[in-house]
PDB file of all heavy atoms in Angstrom:
ATOM      1  N   ASP A   9      10.111  20.686   8.765  1.00  0.00           N
ATOM      2  CA  ASP A   9      11.463  21.000   9.177  1.00  0.00           C
ATOM      3  C   ASP A   9      11.472  21.833  10.437  1.00  0.00           C
ATOM      4  O   ASP A   9      10.545  22.614  10.716  1.00  0.00           O
ATOM      5  CB  ASP A   9      12.131  21.879   8.097  1.00  0.00           C
ATOM      6  CG  ASP A   9      12.703  20.966   6.958  1.00  0.00           C
ATOM      7  OD1 ASP A   9      12.210  19.907   6.698  1.00  0.00           O
ATOM      8  OD2 ASP A   9      13.557  21.488   6.279  1.00  0.00           O
ATOM      9  N   SER A  13      16.692  25.045   8.828  1.00  0.00           N
ATOM     10  CA  SER A  13      17.165  23.707   8.606  1.00  0.00           C
ATOM     11  C   SER A  13      18.116  23.504   7.347  1.00  0.00           C
ATOM     12  O   SER A  13      18.659  22.404   7.201  1.00  0.00           O
ATOM     13  CB  SER A  13      15.931  22.811   8.412  1.00  0.00           C
ATOM     14  OG  SER A  13      15.291  23.091   7.169  1.00  0.00           O
ATOM     15  N   LEU A  14      18.328  24.568   6.618  1.00  0.00           N
ATOM     16  CA  LEU A  14      19.133  24.395   5.396  1.00  0.00           C
ATOM     17  C   LEU A  14      20.499  23.704   5.608  1.00  0.00           C
ATOM     18  O   LEU A  14      20.869  22.824   4.840  1.00  0.00           O
ATOM     19  CB  LEU A  14      19.238  25.768   4.669  1.00  0.00           C
ATOM     20  CG  LEU A  14      19.808  25.613   3.176  1.00  0.00           C
ATOM     21  CD1 LEU A  14      18.958  24.687   2.334  1.00  0.00           C
ATOM     22  CD2 LEU A  14      19.881  26.998   2.571  1.00  0.00           C
ATOM     23  N   ARG A  17      20.111  20.088   6.418  1.00  0.00           N
ATOM     24  CA  ARG A  17      19.774  19.362   5.227  1.00  0.00           C
ATOM     25  C   ARG A  17      20.928  19.074   4.391  1.00  0.00           C
ATOM     26  O   ARG A  17      21.138  17.941   3.873  1.00  0.00           O
ATOM     27  CB  ARG A  17      18.685  20.146   4.434  1.00  0.00           C
ATOM     28  CG  ARG A  17      17.323  20.034   4.850  1.00  0.00           C
ATOM     29  CD  ARG A  17      16.302  20.839   3.988  1.00  0.00           C
ATOM     30  NE  ARG A  17      15.012  20.461   4.119  1.00  0.00           N
ATOM     31  CZ  ARG A  17      14.359  19.577   3.532  1.00  0.00           C
ATOM     32  NH1 ARG A  17      14.923  18.904   2.570  1.00  0.00           N
ATOM     33  NH2 ARG A  17      13.086  19.331   3.807  1.00  0.00           N
ATOM     34  N   HIS A  43       9.473  20.857   0.300  1.00  0.00           N
ATOM     35  CA  HIS A  43       8.561  22.109   0.214  1.00  0.00           C
ATOM     36  C   HIS A  43       9.442  23.317   0.295  1.00  0.00           C
ATOM     37  O   HIS A  43       9.967  23.532   1.441  1.00  0.00           O
ATOM     38  CB  HIS A  43       7.518  21.995   1.260  1.00  0.00           C
ATOM     39  CG  HIS A  43       6.690  20.814   1.349  1.00  0.00           C
ATOM     40  ND1 HIS A  43       5.660  20.589   0.420  1.00  0.00           N
ATOM     41  CD2 HIS A  43       6.683  19.715   2.225  1.00  0.00           C
ATOM     42  CE1 HIS A  43       5.154  19.377   0.659  1.00  0.00           C
ATOM     43  NE2 HIS A  43       5.708  18.886   1.720  1.00  0.00           N
ATOM     44  N   PRO A  44       9.585  24.071  -0.716  1.00  0.00           N
ATOM     45  CA  PRO A  44      10.355  25.341  -0.583  1.00  0.00           C
ATOM     46  C   PRO A  44       9.674  26.209   0.419  1.00  0.00           C
ATOM     47  O   PRO A  44       8.490  26.290   0.526  1.00  0.00           O
ATOM     48  CB  PRO A  44      10.314  25.952  -2.026  1.00  0.00           C
ATOM     49  CG  PRO A  44      10.095  24.758  -2.879  1.00  0.00           C
ATOM     50  CD  PRO A  44       9.250  23.855  -2.132  1.00  0.00           C
ATOM     51  N   ALA A  45      10.467  26.901   1.290  1.00  0.00           N
ATOM     52  CA  ALA A  45       9.979  27.831   2.279  1.00  0.00           C
ATOM     53  C   ALA A  45       9.401  29.090   1.723  1.00  0.00           C
ATOM     54  O   ALA A  45       8.587  29.757   2.449  1.00  0.00           O
ATOM     55  CB  ALA A  45      11.140  28.228   3.258  1.00  0.00           C
ATOM     56  N   ILE A  46       9.693  29.346   0.438  1.00  0.00           N
ATOM     57  CA  ILE A  46       9.061  30.560  -0.192  1.00  0.00           C
ATOM     58  C   ILE A  46       8.531  30.050  -1.522  1.00  0.00           C
ATOM     59  O   ILE A  46       8.838  28.953  -2.036  1.00  0.00           O
ATOM     60  CB  ILE A  46      10.009  31.638  -0.460  1.00  0.00           C
ATOM     61  CG1 ILE A  46      11.224  31.256  -1.281  1.00  0.00           C
ATOM     62  CG2 ILE A  46      10.523  32.256   0.940  1.00  0.00           C
ATOM     63  CD1 ILE A  46      12.194  32.371  -1.615  1.00  0.00           C
ATOM     64  N   ASP A  50      13.628  27.600  -6.756  1.00  0.00           N
ATOM     65  CA  ASP A  50      14.872  27.523  -5.988  1.00  0.00           C
ATOM     66  C   ASP A  50      14.824  28.580  -4.839  1.00  0.00           C
ATOM     67  O   ASP A  50      14.964  29.677  -5.029  1.00  0.00           O
ATOM     68  CB  ASP A  50      16.157  27.860  -6.856  1.00  0.00           C
ATOM     69  CG  ASP A  50      17.406  27.818  -6.102  1.00  0.00           C
ATOM     70  OD1 ASP A  50      17.388  27.611  -4.893  1.00  0.00           O
ATOM     71  OD2 ASP A  50      18.443  28.028  -6.751  1.00  0.00           O
ATOM     72  N   PRO A  51      14.552  28.108  -3.632  1.00  0.00           N
ATOM     73  CA  PRO A  51      14.342  29.052  -2.562  1.00  0.00           C
ATOM     74  C   PRO A  51      15.664  29.660  -2.027  1.00  0.00           C
ATOM     75  O   PRO A  51      15.608  30.568  -1.128  1.00  0.00           O
ATOM     76  CB  PRO A  51      13.611  28.205  -1.438  1.00  0.00           C
ATOM     77  CG  PRO A  51      14.170  26.837  -1.717  1.00  0.00           C
ATOM     78  CD  PRO A  51      14.349  26.718  -3.207  1.00  0.00           C
ATOM     79  N   GLY A  52      16.814  29.305  -2.470  1.00  0.00           N
ATOM     80  CA  GLY A  52      18.050  29.856  -2.078  1.00  0.00           C
ATOM     81  C   GLY A  52      18.185  29.712  -0.556  1.00  0.00           C
ATOM     82  O   GLY A  52      17.900  28.681  -0.006  1.00  0.00           O
ATOM     83  N   THR A  53      18.611  30.778   0.014  1.00  0.00           N
ATOM     84  CA  THR A  53      18.940  30.720   1.525  1.00  0.00           C
ATOM     85  C   THR A  53      17.661  30.608   2.424  1.00  0.00           C
ATOM     86  O   THR A  53      17.752  30.345   3.553  1.00  0.00           O
ATOM     87  CB  THR A  53      19.733  31.901   2.028  1.00  0.00           C
ATOM     88  OG1 THR A  53      19.030  33.086   1.724  1.00  0.00           O
ATOM     89  CG2 THR A  53      21.136  31.961   1.283  1.00  0.00           C
ATOM     90  N   ALA A  54      16.460  30.816   1.743  1.00  0.00           N
ATOM     91  CA  ALA A  54      15.189  30.616   2.596  1.00  0.00           C
ATOM     92  C   ALA A  54      15.024  29.188   2.928  1.00  0.00           C
ATOM     93  O   ALA A  54      14.366  28.805   3.875  1.00  0.00           O
ATOM     94  CB  ALA A  54      14.075  31.149   1.749  1.00  0.00           C
ATOM     95  N   GLY A  55      15.551  28.238   2.115  1.00  0.00           N
ATOM     96  CA  GLY A  55      15.531  26.868   2.432  1.00  0.00           C
ATOM     97  C   GLY A  55      14.183  26.163   2.224  1.00  0.00           C
ATOM     98  O   GLY A  55      13.456  26.628   1.319  1.00  0.00           O
ATOM     99  N   PHE A  56      13.935  25.164   3.011  1.00  0.00           N
ATOM    100  CA  PHE A  56      12.682  24.356   2.903  1.00  0.00           C
ATOM    101  C   PHE A  56      11.996  24.319   4.232  1.00  0.00           C
ATOM    102  O   PHE A  56      12.560  24.395   5.264  1.00  0.00           O
ATOM    103  CB  PHE A  56      13.151  22.988   2.362  1.00  0.00           C
ATOM    104  CG  PHE A  56      13.870  23.016   1.084  1.00  0.00           C
ATOM    105  CD1 PHE A  56      15.257  23.145   1.047  1.00  0.00           C
ATOM    106  CD2 PHE A  56      13.116  23.120  -0.110  1.00  0.00           C
ATOM    107  CE1 PHE A  56      15.891  23.202  -0.232  1.00  0.00           C
ATOM    108  CE2 PHE A  56      13.751  23.209  -1.395  1.00  0.00           C
ATOM    109  CZ  PHE A  56      15.136  23.262  -1.384  1.00  0.00           C
ATOM    110  N   SER A  57      10.683  23.985   4.046  1.00  0.00           N
ATOM    111  CA  SER A  57       9.862  23.940   5.281  1.00  0.00           C
ATOM    112  C   SER A  57       9.494  22.445   5.568  1.00  0.00           C
ATOM    113  O   SER A  57       8.873  22.234   6.624  1.00  0.00           O
ATOM    114  CB  SER A  57       8.617  24.800   5.112  1.00  0.00           C
ATOM    115  OG  SER A  57       7.756  24.240   3.963  1.00  0.00           O
TER     116      SER A  57
END
Side-chain angles (χ1 to χ4, degrees):
D9 282 22
S13 64
L14 189 56
R17 277 179 168 270
H43 301 286
I46 60 173
D50 179 359
T53 59
F56 301 92
S57 64

